[in-house]
Amino acid sequence: MLNAMTTSTDPHDALLTTARAWLAEDPDPVTSGELRSLIDKAAANDADALTELADAFDGTLQFGTAGLRGRLGPGSKRMNRVVVARAAAGLAEYLRQHGGKSVVIGYDARRNSDVFAHDSARIMEGAGIKAYVYPRALPTPVLAFAIRPLGADAGIMVTASHNPPDDNGYKVYLGDGSQIVPPADAEIAECIAGVGSYGEIPRADTFTTLGPDMLDNYIARAVSLLPTGPREVVTVYTAMHGVGGAVFMRAAADAGFPEPHRVPAQFYPDARFPTVPFPNPEEPGAMDLSFDEARKVGADLIVSNDPDADRSAAAIPYKGDWRRLTGDEVGALLGWWIGQRAKRDGVKLSGVFAQSIVSGTLLAKIADDAGVDYTTTLTGFKWISRVPELIFGYEEALGYCVDPAGVRDKDGITASLLLMELTAHLKMQGRTVQDVLDDLARQFGLHVTGQLSIRVSDLSIIADAMARLRANPPQEIGGREVLKFEDLAEGVGGLPPTDGLRFTMDGARVIVRPSGTEPKLKCYLQVVVPGTGDIEAARAAGDEELQAVRESVAQALGI
């Protein structure tokens, strides 16, 4: 086993022994070259090399409900061919124990994604599990879609979504196409822990490469969500250097929209993500090139996918320029539009609108107005997708499920198509997306949401901050008395326990939780102010009150 330090009286010698044992099995010339260089430098007492080596072998990269995600590089705590092979072998054993017979595998365009996917396929076949693999890098929802038509028992998507360029990841779906939840994650992790050395893992020479039909069927399904209607909309689109571009453009064309204007510098896959510090549409500056293009072409709408195209961001004209909509605004718009389409067509909606607990609460009122049920779940589509009778689900982190019967996960391609359809209908009426947001504020109150997100290099900082808040929760936030303090780790409102804290004030709410996929502490903020009278004045007041809440939370965190 190579996932723990070898016993030795000298920690330095033990570290080098562990690293050399790993090097002997590493099949990748790139990571083995990096590791050999680190070993040589560490043996000569290079402090930086010793620190890097110690971190690379400080335990193992843990498999959880998000699968695996981490920095590329050699070592048991990095994403590399050895770690991925052990994960694939453990997952194969889990599937065998549960009668699984087949798996479908997709991958994005990050470094080594194709290698990890093909290694996994050979290992699955070596374990007697039929492996279907997409022929090229494609969006995550295209993989999630394929699970049910193929009758596969599992899906694997090699992606780190919107993580930094040096990361990669390994996402697992089970059964009906939903991401894994407990206890499956722990059971798979136990199977991984039981895998022997890299060289002992059985492998086959071949696997089944999917033809074009599955992608064709995904696009046809996405297009089928849009009934005949207005299509005249000027759209700017960015793929954020990811794999969504070609699929989105084809879907938009098949749906009858005018060709969207591309952001050329970000359209084609590029694992370096050269134009953005972080390839996430939520990050400041990430959509600046989209704004520039929209100003040039007089656009009505900007849509952006993240690198694996399971998320969708949008921006609209506002006060003579452009602004990105929050994830909650997009979620409210999509929920409203689904309800409006049903009313227009004389169809009675039946089912459930769902959202994560950290998302804004406007959707509850929209669901009630549309005559459908509503529920909240823990954060993540692994929970949202499992809601019985789901017809629409979203989370504020730009994830939207508008077709749970087709893709039981967030899908940035189909969500973007619905945003274009909504905008085209409004344009035909001489109205804008902002007009709808203002109408919703007047009807239900102005729900102003935002985040305070703190990225750290040391995860103990997050644990310490959470411990301080639990031990000494603030009595007041943003000048508002805290009426209720709830520790979500104890289980609240019938939800499973999760690491998070919720503070409820009169007309405001704050939830604090560690990110499940990045080294961040995330604080989700909401204030609700009346939307009557001057809507711009109400919006300014809401922004001011949200800022007061943000500053108060930052002070309470003490980071």
PDB file of all heavy atoms in Angstrom, residues 21-37:
ATOM      1  N   ALA A  21       8.948   4.369  -3.338  1.00  0.00           N
ATOM      2  CA  ALA A  21       8.049   3.237  -3.588  1.00  0.00           C
ATOM      3  C   ALA A  21       6.942   3.644  -4.566  1.00  0.00           C
ATOM      4  O   ALA A  21       6.570   2.874  -5.460  1.00  0.00           O
ATOM      5  CB  ALA A  21       7.446   2.757  -2.272  1.00  0.00           C
ATOM      6  N   TRP A  22       6.443   4.860  -4.403  1.00  0.00           N
ATOM      7  CA  TRP A  22       5.420   5.365  -5.334  1.00  0.00           C
ATOM      8  C   TRP A  22       6.000   5.513  -6.737  1.00  0.00           C
ATOM      9  O   TRP A  22       5.382   5.133  -7.727  1.00  0.00           O
ATOM     10  CB  TRP A  22       4.892   6.706  -4.825  1.00  0.00           C
ATOM     11  CG  TRP A  22       3.741   7.250  -5.627  1.00  0.00           C
ATOM     12  CD1 TRP A  22       3.790   7.925  -6.805  1.00  0.00           C
ATOM     13  CD2 TRP A  22       2.359   7.126  -5.303  1.00  0.00           C
ATOM     14  NE1 TRP A  22       2.530   8.255  -7.237  1.00  0.00           N
ATOM     15  CE2 TRP A  22       1.624   7.780  -6.333  1.00  0.00           C
ATOM     16  CE3 TRP A  22       1.658   6.560  -4.246  1.00  0.00           C
ATOM     17  CZ2 TRP A  22       0.236   7.860  -6.327  1.00  0.00           C
ATOM     18  CZ3 TRP A  22       0.272   6.642  -4.238  1.00  0.00           C
ATOM     19  CH2 TRP A  22      -0.421   7.282  -5.263  1.00  0.00           C
ATOM     20  N   LEU A  23       7.217   6.060  -6.811  1.00  0.00           N
ATOM     21  CA  LEU A  23       7.878   6.279  -8.097  1.00  0.00           C
ATOM     22  C   LEU A  23       8.033   4.972  -8.864  1.00  0.00           C
ATOM     23  O   LEU A  23       7.888   4.939 -10.091  1.00  0.00           O
ATOM     24  CB  LEU A  23       9.251   6.923  -7.874  1.00  0.00           C
ATOM     25  CG  LEU A  23      10.098   7.188  -9.121  1.00  0.00           C
ATOM     26  CD1 LEU A  23       9.386   8.170 -10.048  1.00  0.00           C
ATOM     27  CD2 LEU A  23      11.474   7.737  -8.721  1.00  0.00           C
ATOM     28  N   ALA A  24       8.286   3.889  -8.150  1.00  0.00           N
ATOM     29  CA  ALA A  24       8.486   2.596  -8.804  1.00  0.00           C
ATOM     30  C   ALA A  24       7.228   2.117  -9.516  1.00  0.00           C
ATOM     31  O   ALA A  24       7.311   1.298 -10.442  1.00  0.00           O
ATOM     32  CB  ALA A  24       8.928   1.560  -7.769  1.00  0.00           C
ATOM     33  N   GLU A  25       6.057   2.609  -9.109  1.00  0.00           N
ATOM     34  CA  GLU A  25       4.798   2.174  -9.718  1.00  0.00           C
ATOM     35  C   GLU A  25       4.186   3.200 -10.658  1.00  0.00           C
ATOM     36  O   GLU A  25       3.290   2.863 -11.436  1.00  0.00           O
ATOM     37  CB  GLU A  25       3.769   1.854  -8.623  1.00  0.00           C
ATOM     38  CG  GLU A  25       4.074   0.596  -7.839  1.00  0.00           C
ATOM     39  CD  GLU A  25       2.824   0.044  -7.186  1.00  0.00           C
ATOM     40  OE1 GLU A  25       1.989   0.853  -6.732  1.00  0.00           O
ATOM     41  OE2 GLU A  25       2.677  -1.179  -7.123  1.00  0.00           O
ATOM     42  N   ASP A  26       4.625   4.454 -10.603  1.00  0.00           N
ATOM     43  CA  ASP A  26       3.991   5.518 -11.386  1.00  0.00           C
ATOM     44  C   ASP A  26       4.209   5.288 -12.883  1.00  0.00           C
ATOM     45  O   ASP A  26       5.349   5.302 -13.356  1.00  0.00           O
ATOM     46  CB  ASP A  26       4.572   6.864 -10.964  1.00  0.00           C
ATOM     47  CG  ASP A  26       3.802   8.054 -11.536  1.00  0.00           C
ATOM     48  OD1 ASP A  26       3.056   7.871 -12.516  1.00  0.00           O
ATOM     49  OD2 ASP A  26       3.942   9.166 -10.990  1.00  0.00           O
ATOM     50  N   PRO A  27       3.124   5.100 -13.663  1.00  0.00           N
ATOM     51  CA  PRO A  27       3.281   4.816 -15.092  1.00  0.00           C
ATOM     52  C   PRO A  27       3.357   6.061 -15.965  1.00  0.00           C
ATOM     53  O   PRO A  27       3.570   5.949 -17.172  1.00  0.00           O
ATOM     54  CB  PRO A  27       1.984   4.056 -15.405  1.00  0.00           C
ATOM     55  CG  PRO A  27       0.970   4.712 -14.522  1.00  0.00           C
ATOM     56  CD  PRO A  27       1.701   5.064 -13.242  1.00  0.00           C
ATOM     57  N   ASP A  28       3.179   7.226 -15.366  1.00  0.00           N
ATOM     58  CA  ASP A  28       3.085   8.463 -16.135  1.00  0.00           C
ATOM     59  C   ASP A  28       4.457   9.123 -16.201  1.00  0.00           C
ATOM     60  O   ASP A  28       5.030   9.482 -15.163  1.00  0.00           O
ATOM     61  CB  ASP A  28       2.076   9.406 -15.475  1.00  0.00           C
ATOM     62  CG  ASP A  28       1.752  10.622 -16.339  1.00  0.00           C
ATOM     63  OD1 ASP A  28       2.678  11.154 -16.975  1.00  0.00           O
ATOM     64  OD2 ASP A  28       0.584  11.039 -16.351  1.00  0.00           O
ATOM     65  N   PRO A  29       5.010   9.310 -17.392  1.00  0.00           N
ATOM     66  CA  PRO A  29       6.349   9.917 -17.486  1.00  0.00           C
ATOM     67  C   PRO A  29       6.409  11.336 -16.947  1.00  0.00           C
ATOM     68  O   PRO A  29       7.468  11.771 -16.471  1.00  0.00           O
ATOM     69  CB  PRO A  29       6.662   9.874 -18.983  1.00  0.00           C
ATOM     70  CG  PRO A  29       5.341   9.715 -19.664  1.00  0.00           C
ATOM     71  CD  PRO A  29       4.477   8.954 -18.727  1.00  0.00           C
ATOM     72  N   VAL A  30       5.292  12.061 -17.003  1.00  0.00           N
ATOM     73  CA  VAL A  30       5.292  13.444 -16.502  1.00  0.00           C
ATOM     74  C   VAL A  30       5.354  13.465 -14.987  1.00  0.00           C
ATOM     75  O   VAL A  30       6.234  14.089 -14.389  1.00  0.00           O
ATOM     76  CB  VAL A  30       4.048  14.206 -17.012  1.00  0.00           C
ATOM     77  CG1 VAL A  30       3.992  15.596 -16.376  1.00  0.00           C
ATOM     78  CG2 VAL A  30       4.086  14.325 -18.524  1.00  0.00           C
ATOM     79  N   THR A  31       4.422  12.768 -14.329  1.00  0.00           N
ATOM     80  CA  THR A  31       4.415  12.795 -12.863  1.00  0.00           C
ATOM     81  C   THR A  31       5.611  12.049 -12.275  1.00  0.00           C
ATOM     82  O   THR A  31       6.143  12.445 -11.230  1.00  0.00           O
ATOM     83  CB  THR A  31       3.100  12.203 -12.306  1.00  0.00           C
ATOM     84  OG1 THR A  31       2.855  10.923 -12.899  1.00  0.00           O
ATOM     85  CG2 THR A  31       1.937  13.121 -12.593  1.00  0.00           C
ATOM     86  N   SER A  32       6.052  10.996 -12.936  1.00  0.00           N
ATOM     87  CA  SER A  32       7.228  10.292 -12.417  1.00  0.00           C
ATOM     88  C   SER A  32       8.467  11.177 -12.544  1.00  0.00           C
ATOM     89  O   SER A  32       9.342  11.168 -11.658  1.00  0.00           O
ATOM     90  CB  SER A  32       7.438   8.967 -13.149  1.00  0.00           C
ATOM     91  OG  SER A  32       7.650   9.177 -14.529  1.00  0.00           O
ATOM     92  N   GLY A  33       8.531  11.971 -13.619  1.00  0.00           N
ATOM     93  CA  GLY A  33       9.649  12.911 -13.750  1.00  0.00           C
ATOM     94  C   GLY A  33       9.612  13.980 -12.686  1.00  0.00           C
ATOM     95  O   GLY A  33      10.655  14.335 -12.098  1.00  0.00           O
ATOM     96  N   GLU A  34       8.424  14.503 -12.402  1.00  0.00           N
ATOM     97  CA  GLU A  34       8.292  15.498 -11.332  1.00  0.00           C
ATOM     98  C   GLU A  34       8.705  14.903  -9.998  1.00  0.00           C
ATOM     99  O   GLU A  34       9.409  15.547  -9.197  1.00  0.00           O
ATOM    100  CB  GLU A  34       6.846  15.982 -11.259  1.00  0.00           C
ATOM    101  CG  GLU A  34       6.388  16.806 -12.447  1.00  0.00           C
ATOM    102  CD  GLU A  34       4.901  17.141 -12.368  1.00  0.00           C
ATOM    103  OE1 GLU A  34       4.263  16.821 -11.338  1.00  0.00           O
ATOM    104  OE2 GLU A  34       4.357  17.696 -13.342  1.00  0.00           O
ATOM    105  N   LEU A  35       8.247  13.671  -9.735  1.00  0.00           N
ATOM    106  CA  LEU A  35       8.547  13.041  -8.456  1.00  0.00           C
ATOM    107  C   LEU A  35      10.030  12.730  -8.317  1.00  0.00           C
ATOM    108  O   LEU A  35      10.629  12.942  -7.246  1.00  0.00           O
ATOM    109  CB  LEU A  35       7.716  11.762  -8.307  1.00  0.00           C
ATOM    110  CG  LEU A  35       7.838  11.019  -6.976  1.00  0.00           C
ATOM    111  CD1 LEU A  35       7.531  11.934  -5.805  1.00  0.00           C
ATOM    112  CD2 LEU A  35       6.914   9.803  -6.961  1.00  0.00           C
ATOM    113  N   ARG A  36      10.645  12.256  -9.390  1.00  0.00           N
ATOM    114  CA  ARG A  36      12.078  11.959  -9.333  1.00  0.00           C
ATOM    115  C   ARG A  36      12.876  13.217  -9.009  1.00  0.00           C
ATOM    116  O   ARG A  36      13.812  13.191  -8.193  1.00  0.00           O
ATOM    117  CB  ARG A  36      12.530  11.360 -10.665  1.00  0.00           C
ATOM    118  CG  ARG A  36      13.989  10.894 -10.668  1.00  0.00           C
ATOM    119  CD  ARG A  36      14.353  10.214 -11.975  1.00  0.00           C
ATOM    120  NE  ARG A  36      13.624   8.965 -12.149  1.00  0.00           N
ATOM    121  CZ  ARG A  36      12.610   8.786 -12.986  1.00  0.00           C
ATOM    122  NH1 ARG A  36      12.193   9.796 -13.750  1.00  0.00           N
ATOM    123  NH2 ARG A  36      12.012   7.623 -13.087  1.00  0.00           N
ATOM    124  N   SER A  37      12.497  14.329  -9.613  1.00  0.00           N
ATOM    125  CA  SER A  37      13.189  15.591  -9.336  1.00  0.00           C
ATOM    126  C   SER A  37      13.005  16.014  -7.883  1.00  0.00           C
ATOM    127  O   SER A  37      13.959  16.448  -7.214  1.00  0.00           O
ATOM    128  CB  SER A  37      12.669  16.677 -10.278  1.00  0.00           C
ATOM    129  OG  SER A  37      13.245  17.926  -9.982  1.00  0.00           O
TER     130      SER A  37
END
